[in-house]
Amino acid sequence: MSGKKTKKGSIRKWFRSQGSSLIFLAPFTILFVLFTILPIAAAIVLSFTYFNMLSAPTFVGFDNYIRMFFDDDVFLIALKNTAIFAMITGPISYILSFMVAWLINEFNRFVRTVLTLVFYLPSLAGNVYFVWTYIFSGDSYGLLNNLLTKFGITDDAIQWLTDTKYMMVVVIVVILWLSLGTGFLSFVAGLQSMDRELFEAAAIDGVKNRFAELWYVTLPQMGPQLLFGAVMQISTSFAVGYECMNLTGFPSTDYATHTMVLHILDFGQVRFEMGYACAVAVFLFAMMLIMWKAVNKLLSKWS
Amino acid sequence: MKRIRRSKRKTLSRSKAGTFFIFAFLAVAGAFMLLPIIYVLVTAFKPLNEILAYPPKFFVRNPTWANFSDLIEITQETWIPFERSLFNSLFIAVAGTAAYIIIASMAAYPLAKNKSRYIGVYYQIVVLAILFRPEVTRTPLYIIISKLGLINTYWSLILPVMAGSFGVFLMRQFMITVPNEMLEAARVDGASDFVCFWKLIMPLVRPAWMTLTIFTFKDLWNTGESQYIYEEALKTLTAVMQSISSAGIARAGAGAAVALIMMIPPVTVFVISQSSVMETMSQTGIKG
């Protein structure tokens, strides 16, 4: 592909010389535009309308956005919970992924491979997380309650999945269980492909222990992987919702584990208030972009 | 220089306490990861009286295959034959994965090797789009899928996954490592872009598409959002699993059995190709 020569050419000339590139790009691009770009664009446009899928959308200005903050208490719960998943659980998952990857990097190839599988298994197994409902079950079959009564910690069965005091804790535990995903694999692989000589040089220069080595040698080399891990982490943390639904029901007791994704689902697929659902989605996109910009800035300044 | 080479990596002091901490941490965290999976495994082989026993026991005493035959019976009576949902899931996962590998690799080739400015901008958009999974674009996606008349078709589950940009990103990062000289030599020999792509690039980036196979297969294998599929005969194993697991403790055995069946394919594929995965994932870094 001879892209270098045509930098100054007109767009038409560019099209002519780049024909084969365009053919290669076409199939993916059609799907990408239709099912990734168009939904984002449509959400932005529809967020300023009232639309129930039966009649044509009617323009309502900023009403949907005003309603979100002043006339919808459930949205505020969803916002708070999504913020918890994005700002607290997300960073913990991210650090945990790196820490586990870093620790298993100490072992030989075979042990490392086994440990990678063990820690990646929950993500790999997909929907198997529903098994946690048997563990946290509030009836006499719940494993955790039985364990707690056996050791005399509690007398009464705790309703983990329906008591608003515990529901978020349960979901957070399960989210942490699922947190070692694609980013984790990237960290494991990145740590293995690092320049060994730098470690030797550092040891000679007086880097004394594991933590100094991590801080001065390992992390500065891991910048690109850390950035990739951050993208994956943001894209999962802000999208938490289906896990809550499968664990604590939908809608959950007092909306205790409601998230923005579930709020979108509620208004989009249950009440068919598409305009409002889209406004919530647009707000979610904006939060994700801001988070990504901030993380990007932070990580590239630092590495 | 020779002296540095000879000094082994072990020159760094590895404290005993640190090593102990690593073992302790990994043992605790590993148990946390594994125990629920093991619980699925043992529950799948528990007879009904052990499932309903009080207090509940973690391990199985008298393993049985009864839950698997139950599973087939239950689905036969209440929903649709088990083989049918198994076929739905397999078809969606296999056909979708194969198609995505091809279109993602095709798109990745110019993104990796064409130095044009516009292509560069496009690549930036592709990377940014990794942020937005189908979960967050659900509502507008639903509108588009229903306007296109795709509700109640396999396409409604396959196409949104195929429109994801993660695979394109992954393939592009790996294709970039193919030396340009090789491509130039092939072109001097008269190979077209299509020949270069199919005969040269694709065999060289085998680890990348092995890796993408796992990720795509896993995603498609686990899809089954009921919003897009109402017709029972088209539902996937995931939907069956959700129905069974919501039926409570009496169905726990069958639920664990279907969960176990669902776990086997992705885990097998991962174990077989894990070295390809590691080779590919080391290329996933992004420049800020």
Side-chain angles (χ1 to χ4, degrees), chain B residues 183-242:
Chain B
L183 280 173
E184 242 123 75
R187 228 168 269 137
V188 169
D189 289 346
S192 68
D193 267 338
F194 297 93
V195 174
C196 284
F197 171 71
W198 196 248
K199 292 265 158 89
L200 188 71
I201 300 270
M202 283 308 269
L204 283 173
V205 298
R206 190 166 166 275
W209 50 260
M210 295 282 280
T211 307
L212 190 54
T213 301
I214 295 176
F215 291 140
T216 317
F217 182 86
K218 167 175 96 74
D219 281 355
L220 283 163
W221 179 249
N222 285 308
T223 54
E225 285 109 70
S226 42
Q227 289 103 338
Y228 299 146
I229 304 265
Y230 298 105
E231 199 165 319
E232 294 291 339
L234 292 176
K235 285 196 171 162
T236 58
L237 273 187
T238 304
V240 171
M241 187 164 98
Q242 275 162 354

Side-chain angles (χ1 to χ4, degrees), chain A residues 14 57 98 146 151 230:
Chain A
W14 182 83
F98 185 82
N146 270 288
F151 289 103

Side-chain angles (χ1 to χ4, degrees), chain A residues 18 20 29 186 208 242 265, chain B residues 13 114 122 138 193 227 284:
Chain A
Q18 306 291 323
S20 64
T29 306
S186 174
K208 285 261 158 34
Y242 286 81
L265 183 77
Chain B
S13 69
N114 188 327
Y122 188 35
R138 167 84 52 227
D193 267 338
Q227 289 103 338
T284 49

Side-chain angles (χ1 to χ4, degrees), chain B residues 9 21 72 86 119 146 148 176 196 231 240 245 250 272 287:
Chain B
R9 228 168 77 73
F21 168 77
I72 290 168
L86 181 66
I119 298 277
S146 73
L148 290 171
I176 264 199
C196 284
E231 199 165 319
V240 171
S245 62
I272 292 170
K287 302 256 150 57

Side-chain angles (χ1 to χ4, degrees), chain A residues 1 3-4 7 11 14 18 20-21 23-25 27-29 31-32 34-40 43 46 51 53 96 99-100 103-104 106-107 109 113 115-128 130-132 134 140-141 143 146 173 176-177 180 182 185-186 188-189 192-193 196-197 200 203-204 207-208 210 213 224-225 227-228 231-232 234-236 239 242 246 261 264-265 268-269 272 274 277-278 281 284-285 288-289 292 296 300, chain B residues 4-5 7 9 11-15 18-19 21-23 25-26 29-30 32-34 36-37 39-40 51-56 58 103 106-107 109-111 114-119 122 125-126 128-133 135-146 148 150 159-160 162-166 168-169 187 193-194 197 214-215 218 222 227 238 241-242 245 249 252 255 259 263 266-267 270-271 274-275 277-278 281-282 284-288:
Chain A
M1 262 163 261
K4 283 173 213 160
K7 252 186 184 156
I11 289 191
W14 182 83
Q18 306 291 323
S20 64
S21 288
I23 293 169
F24 276 107
L25 284 169
F28 170 72
T29 306
L31 290 175
F32 180 61
L34 213 52
F35 297 105
T36 304
I37 302 293
L38 193 61
I40 295 171
L46 289 172
F51 181 43
M53 285 207 56
L96 199 69
M99 208 170 133
V100 172
L103 293 180
I104 67 178
E106 296 271 317
F107 295 96
R109 193 188 153 86
T113 306
L115 287 175
T116 305
L117 179 65
V118 165
F119 283 94
Y120 182 58
L121 203 53
S123 308
L124 187 63
N127 294 314
V128 170
F130 87 91
V131 67
W132 286 95
Y134 299 139
S140 54
Y141 303 106
L143 278 184
N146 270 288
V173 166
L176 288 177
W177 185 69
L180 281 82
T182 318
L185 290 184
S186 174
V188 174
Q192 276 174 58
S193 58
R196 291 267 170 254
E197 290 193 0
E200 290 161 11
I204 289 159
V207 168
K208 285 261 158 34
R210 285 191 178 97
E213 186 192 60
Q225 264 85 15
L227 213 50
F228 171 77
V231 177
M232 300 312 286
I234 293 169
S235 85
T236 13
Y242 286 81
N246 288 330
V261 162
I264 295 168
L265 183 77
Q269 258 84 17
F272 280 90
M274 297 298 190
C278 284
L284 181 60
F285 301 159
M288 292 174 83
L289 274 180
W292 165 233
N296 198 338
S300 20
Chain B
I4 297 173
R5 283 268 159 72
S7 65
R9 228 168 77 73
T11 42
L12 193 72
S13 69
R14 289 283 189 252
S15 67
T19 311
F21 168 77
I22 291 175
F23 275 104
F25 176 84
L26 286 178
F32 172 67
M33 291 287 152
L34 269 187
I37 304 269
Y39 189 61
V40 171
I51 287 170
L52 298 178
Y54 183 85
F58 188 90
I103 69 158
M106 282 174 69
Y109 177 40
L111 289 175
N114 188 327
K115 299 281 181 284
S116 155
R117 201 163 13 130
Y118 303 103
I119 298 277
Y122 188 35
I125 296 171
V126 163
L128 196 61
I130 298 175
L131 279 180
F132 305 106
R133 308 148 141 255
E135 284 100 317
V136 299
T137 55
R138 167 84 52 227
T139 294
L141 196 59
Y142 176 80
I143 298 173
I144 291 164
I145 285 176
S146 73
L148 290 171
L150 296 176
L159 292 179
M162 284 178 70
S165 55
F166 174 70
V168 177
F169 164 77
R187 228 168 269 137
D193 267 338
F194 297 93
F197 171 71
I214 295 176
F215 291 140
K218 167 175 96 74
N222 285 308
Q227 289 103 338
T238 304
M241 187 164 98
Q242 275 162 354
S245 62
I249 190 73
M263 225 164 19
V267 173
F270 182 80
V271 169
Q274 63 81 28
S275 67
V277 177
M278 286 305 140
M281 294 308 285
S282 65
T284 49
I286 354 178
K287 302 256 150 57

